[in-house]
Amino acid sequence: MLRENIPDLADLELVAAVADKAVRVKQLLHDVARDYAPAVFANSLGAEDMVLTDMIWSEGIDIGIFSLDTGRLPAETCELMAKAERRYGRRLEVFTPRHDTVQDFVAGFGINGFYDSVEARKACCHARKIEPLQRALAGKQAWITGLRAAQSPTRDKLKTVAFDHGNKLVKISPLADWSEREVWVYLRANNVPYNALHDRNYPSIGCAPCTRAIQPGEDVRAGRWWWESADTKECGLHLVDGKLQRVATAKVGAGGTATA
Ligand code: SF4
């Protein structure tokens, strides 16, 4: 979130509209817990994901929450994990990569080999993100994500409820119709913890070596894998109809955060 785009809580109409939307999302989460047990929320610790974390833990909804610790996360992201655990009195389930696959990557490509080629970068993302995600989703009926349609170039493709053919389970995106502004109204109105890097022009936060701050007017994903061309910037965590979906292309200027 760029500082100049922080929403004004004095806009009572907006605050009330967000509160109404939040009631509907909480009801959806209750329904998911009832109809798709066991369901899990893949918490990438971005702004949207902290909205859902707040809803699930504050409401005591029976949905597990997990995060992926790739081993290369920024210190600020680890601090947010600890802060959230303190705030809600709950423990995040954290999935880490298999040591042998990381060792194989480092042996084959080098410790920072992901800078050298798309092939190497994808191999690193597979070892540190995709394989742990697949383990986290094993045996689940549904997974929940913080994706929003406004982050995607194929907005009509992001549905609140869809079948994820890649991971073979139902995928639910309760904030699909939320705007960036609404996300930040919710965070501020409910005093929800968020990643300190958002205040330093990091709208999209991933691993430390693969994320940088952006300038106003840049694509919100410009700070992710910035050395690659736009059409290769995927880690493979999100698929729509079996195809990789780019998570965000919105320009920052009207505000924007994106994760994953
Ligand atoms: Fe590796 Fe970078 Fe992908 Fe993280 S984002 S898993 S460090 S290539």
Side-chain angles (χ1 to χ4, degrees):
M1 186 78 179
L2 299 183
R3 192 167 290 280
E4 63 267 29
N5 296 321
I6 292 175
D8 183 1
L9 292 186
D11 183 346
L12 299 181
E13 207 172 308
L14 176 61
V15 173
V18 171
D20 278 350
K21 288 185 91 163
V23 169
R24 291 196 290 277
V25 171
K26 288 174 187 174
Q27 186 56 55
L28 172 63
L29 292 169
H30 278 291
D31 292 347
V32 170
R34 183 194 61 215
D35 297 339
Y36 293 100
V40 281
F41 167 41
N43 182 359
S44 71
L45 301 156
E48 292 79 4
D49 297 67
M50 295 313 297
V51 169
L52 293 173
T53 297
D54 182 78
M55 291 179 178
I56 292 169
W57 276 351
S58 296
E59 292 274 308
I61 301 172
D62 189 15
I63 292 174
I65 302 182
F66 73 86
S67 293
L68 304 180
D69 179 357
T70 63
R72 302 297 299 260
L73 295 178
E76 289 83 353
T77 302
C78 296
E79 283 163 18
L80 174 60
M81 293 164 86
K83 197 170 176 181
E85 289 187 338
R86 281 196 302 276
R87 159 77 188 270
Y88 299 100
R90 300 285 296 266
R91 186 72 74 200
L92 265 179
E93 188 174 12
V94 176
F95 284 80
T96 53
R98 287 170 40 169
H99 76 277
D100 55 338
T101 57
V102 172
Q103 281 180 194
D104 286 348
F105 170 81
V106 172
F109 295 101
I111 190 73
N112 282 347
F114 38 78
Y115 291 130
D116 297 336
S117 69
V118 173
E119 178 204 4
R121 201 269 295 159
K122 288 186 174 176
C124 185
C125 283
H126 191 275
R128 293 182 184 276
K129 293 181 173 180
I130 296 176
E131 189 281 328
L133 175 72
Q134 289 169 342
R135 250 186 295 130
L137 297 182
K140 304 298 186 295
Q141 283 212 60
W143 70 305
I144 295 163
T145 81
L147 290 181
R148 291 186 297 109
Q151 296 169 319
S152 166
T154 52
R155 297 178 183 196
D156 56 325
K157 293 244 175 161
L158 179 63
K159 298 194 168 49
T160 301
V161 181
F163 191 76
D164 176 349
H165 293 276
N167 289 304
K168 297 187 173 51
L169 75 175
V170 174
K171 181 175 177 179
I172 298 161
S173 304
L175 304 183
D177 68 342
W178 282 48
S179 69
E180 158 68 11
R181 197 170 169 75
E182 289 169 334
V183 166
W184 282 92
V185 165
Y186 184 94
L187 292 178
R188 293 197 67 214
N190 294 281
N191 197 26
V192 178
Y194 62 88
N195 197 318
L197 289 174
H198 286 315
D199 290 334
R200 292 182 233 151
N201 291 349
Y202 285 76
S204 176
I205 303 166
C207 293
C210 300
T211 306
R212 65 160 170 77
I214 66 167
Q215 299 300 315
E218 276 193 305
D219 186 293
V220 296
R221 297 281 282 184
R224 302 290 298 278
W225 305 299
W226 66 91
W227 63 93
E228 291 187 4
S229 62
D231 59 346
T232 63
K233 289 188 179 189
E234 282 301 341
C235 61
L237 291 185
H238 296 292
L239 296 135
V240 173
D241 295 333
K243 294 176 184 164
L244 281 175
Q245 179 190 355
R246 192 175 173 199
V247 177
T249 59
K251 300 280 184 191
V252 167
T257 57
T259 58

